[in-house]
Amino acid sequence: MRADGAGTHPAGPAAIVYLHGFRSSPASFKSCRMASALDALELGDRFHAPTLPPSPSLALRLAIAVCQVALDGADPATELVIVGSSLGGLYATAAAERLGCRAVLINPAVDVGRDLSPLVGTHTLFHDPSQSFDFLPSYVDELRAIAPATITRPERYFLIAATGDEVLDWRDADRLYAGARKTIVQGGDHGLSDFDRHLPAILDFCGIDAGRPAAG
């Protein structure tokens, strides 16, 4: 950022990392909408959305590595926000606990034994049905190993959970993220189809002033 103010941007973290959910990808609706919103603010270079592998342990390792590379030595406590949806919300929480950064959780997975065990098998990707992957029984054990039983410093977290989530029980997340900033959507769905309505609050949690355009 230049000292004379030219080319300055609305305030915000050095890196925002989006972690997609099960069977999803960086091409998800929410990922694309976040990227577009940040592009409009000339902050697109701060946004990162990796393609996560099926193995939870490898997915978390990759997510943390992407965060560290994007930070380039900056302090994660102030310069990193991870946004995670569904299973990506679990990864975002695990990464935030390890890195000490902020995280936004959108209908996050919490009870992995109950909710993910039935998904063992072969699946296709939502955004590219020609691509498939195997979700192995050992992956459920990996999820149990990395899933935080509690969170520290609830103020680092922002939960958005829909009571109409047809995949996960929103009350699990409501309990885990006790004390965190929350938006409980009455009704809604697992994909949070009204995501655009929540984008301003997400950007605000990131410390981004979406109402002030970047100076050119």
Side-chain angles (χ1 to χ4, degrees):
M1 186 176 294
R2 286 171 51 179
D4 62 5
T8 59
H9 303 286
I16 299 173
V17 176
Y18 180 89
L19 304 180
H20 63 75
F22 189 79
R23 294 184 61 201
S24 191
S25 75
S28 75
F29 166 72
K30 294 184 286 294
S31 176
C32 292
R33 289 300 299 137
M34 279 208 72
S36 295
L38 292 168
D39 279 343
L41 294 168
E42 297 187 12
L43 298 173
D45 60 338
R46 304 188 191 186
F47 184 72
H48 309 269
T51 299
L52 301 175
S55 163
S57 61
L58 292 181
L60 180 59
R61 190 182 308 169
L62 173 63
I64 291 174
V66 168
C67 290
Q68 291 172 331
V69 170
L71 281 169
D72 192 25
D75 182 3
T78 57
E79 297 298 334
L80 172 65
V81 178
I82 307 175
V83 181
S85 175
S86 191
L87 182 54
L90 185 152
Y91 296 149
T93 304
E97 286 294 314
R98 297 189 187 193
L99 296 172
C101 66
R102 289 169 286 165
V104 179
L105 304 317
I106 302 168
N107 288 328
V110 173
D111 191 333
V112 293
R114 182 194 66 204
D115 296 328
L116 278 298
S117 293
L119 298 179
V120 168
T122 301
H123 301 271
T124 57
L125 297 180
F126 285 129
H127 305 104
D128 186 359
S130 68
Q131 300 293 318
S132 64
F133 67 95
D134 293 322
F135 189 72
L136 305 177
S138 61
Y139 292 169
V140 179
D141 294 330
E142 290 181 17
L143 282 170
R144 289 192 178 103
I146 66 175
T150 59
I151 59 168
T152 60
R153 297 187 57 191
E155 68 274 10
R156 291 190 305 208
Y157 295 95
F158 177 20
L159 170 68
I160 303 175
T163 64
D165 189 332
E166 70 279 14
V167 176
L168 302 173
D169 189 336
W170 69 275
R171 290 167 293 191
D172 293 332
D174 192 38
R175 286 189 291 268
L176 178 62
Y177 299 97
R181 176 174 171 176
K182 297 179 185 178
T183 294
I184 304 299
V185 180
Q186 298 304 311
D189 52 32
H190 183 65
L192 201 68
S193 54
D194 64 343
F195 179 70
D196 282 351
R197 184 163 68 89
H198 303 284
L199 251 178
I202 292 172
L203 294 176
D204 175 71
F205 184 76
C206 292
I208 295 172
D209 181 3
R212 179 166 61 88

